[in-house]
Amino acid sequence: MRSDGRGLRDLRPVRYETGYLEWAEGSVLLEMGKTRVLCAASFEPQVPRFLQGTGKGWVTAEYGMLPRSTAERTPREAARGRQSGRTYEIQRLIGRSLRAVTRLERLKEASIWVDCDVLQADGGTRTAAITGGFIALRLALRTLKERGDIEHEDVLTDSVAAVSAGIVDGSPMLDLCYEEDSRAEVDFNVVMTGSGRLVEVQGTAEGDPFTREQLDEMLGLAATGIEELTAIQRKATGA
């Protein structure tokens, strides 16, 4: 039994509210336990310079944390004049994950920006941002098709979601909260499609190295969690 009463293989309680922002083409407030991330997808009828003339569109992401999303105030990165390496790495991960299931050629030369803002952080903010970012993206694509901004409805090839897994006090467990993550011996973030294909695996031993068997166990836990998250995404988007 964990500090919040969950079993080792249990996700934190997941809640969501779609259409949270009036002006965004797609948006969702996603909560996983105490972690809350607001994801908004926005349409832009142009692409970065490196894609101009290719006939392909673009999906990208930005990520940020509010100053009091954490136990102690974290200064805004804009006030420091630059993004941290962590922020840059996370938003690139979100963008890669969403593009992995998107037919970019069906967007023509248009972009979709997915903004992921952490309102409250209690572990797993990057994985929640990917899971919520996909919901916002799918909702936005529906709006864009109805509006006539894109021609094809089947821009997506699959769904994508993410979850953490780790070993804490010698026990493998799914979806770590901050208290667990901060003392984990092994920490994984796994991004996977709804059909079970891997997009990215980030795994680190904080102390002793882990075995191949433990790696397989972490991936199995993550697959179980992502299967549940995929069902939640389908319900949220009416897919």
Side-chain angles (χ1 to χ4, degrees):
M1 191 70 72
R2 298 156 77 172
S3 59
D4 55 9
R6 286 184 290 152
L8 298 178
R9 304 177 66 87
D10 293 340
L11 290 173
R12 289 173 289 180
V14 180
R15 296 171 293 274
Y16 62 85
E17 182 178 344
T18 57
Y20 194 80
L21 296 176
E22 184 170 355
W23 310 119
E25 280 78 8
S27 66
V28 64
L29 174 64
L30 181 71
E31 302 182 17
M32 295 191 67
K34 294 180 182 179
T35 290
R36 299 173 186 165
V37 181
L38 177 58
C39 302
S42 304
F43 176 73
E44 189 175 62
Q46 60 184 5
V47 291
R49 182 173 297 178
F50 71 90
L51 283 173
Q52 291 175 3
T54 66
K56 288 186 177 182
W58 189 239
V59 174
T60 190
E62 289 193 359
Y63 169 94
M65 298 179 68
L66 294 186
R68 281 318 304 264
S69 63
T70 50
E72 296 181 359
R73 184 181 187 275
T74 303
R76 296 181 191 274
E77 293 184 341
R80 296 200 295 261
R82 63 181 178 84
Q83 289 182 318
S84 69
R86 176 184 181 274
T87 295
Y88 186 65
E89 182 258 324
I90 290 174
Q91 64 189 29
R92 290 190 65 191
L93 169 64
I94 300 167
R96 286 195 303 272
S97 300
L98 298 176
R99 288 192 297 273
V101 295
T102 305
R103 295 183 176 101
L104 296 176
E105 69 279 2
R106 296 200 170 183
L107 291 175
K108 303 298 185 180
E109 292 197 16
S111 299
I112 298 178
W113 289 81
V114 180
D115 292 292
C116 302
D117 291 289
V118 179
L119 309 185
Q120 185 165 282
D122 186 40
T125 60
R126 74 184 66 195
T127 54
I130 292 168
T131 301
F134 177 80
I135 294 173
L137 175 62
R138 174 166 269 171
L139 294 172
L141 290 170
R142 183 176 301 155
T143 297
L144 295 172
K145 179 64 171 63
E146 292 171 353
R147 247 172 31 188
D149 290 312
I150 59 174
E151 297 177 9
H152 299 278
E153 189 167 353
D154 56 342
V155 174
L156 298 172
T157 61
D158 205 337
S159 61
V160 66
V163 74
S164 66
I167 298 176
V168 183
D169 298 332
S171 298
M173 55 183 65
L174 178 67
D175 191 18
L176 308 185
C177 66
Y178 176 76
E179 185 273 333
E180 294 166 339
D181 181 74
S182 64
R183 57 190 179 87
E185 294 107 64
V186 179
D187 184 20
F188 270 86
N189 293 303
V190 179
V191 187
M192 189 179 289
T193 68
S195 59
R197 301 177 69 190
L198 290 165
V199 176
E200 190 148 343
V201 178
Q202 302 176 336
T204 305
E206 301 294 343
D208 292 335
F210 52 89
T211 66
R212 174 62 182 271
E213 289 74 19
Q214 289 172 317
L215 168 61
D216 291 341
E217 189 168 12
M218 295 299 97
L219 291 176
L221 277 175
T224 299
I226 287 173
E227 185 175 348
E228 293 182 47
L229 292 171
T230 299
I232 291 168
Q233 288 175 321
R234 288 173 178 161
K235 184 177 180 181
T237 59

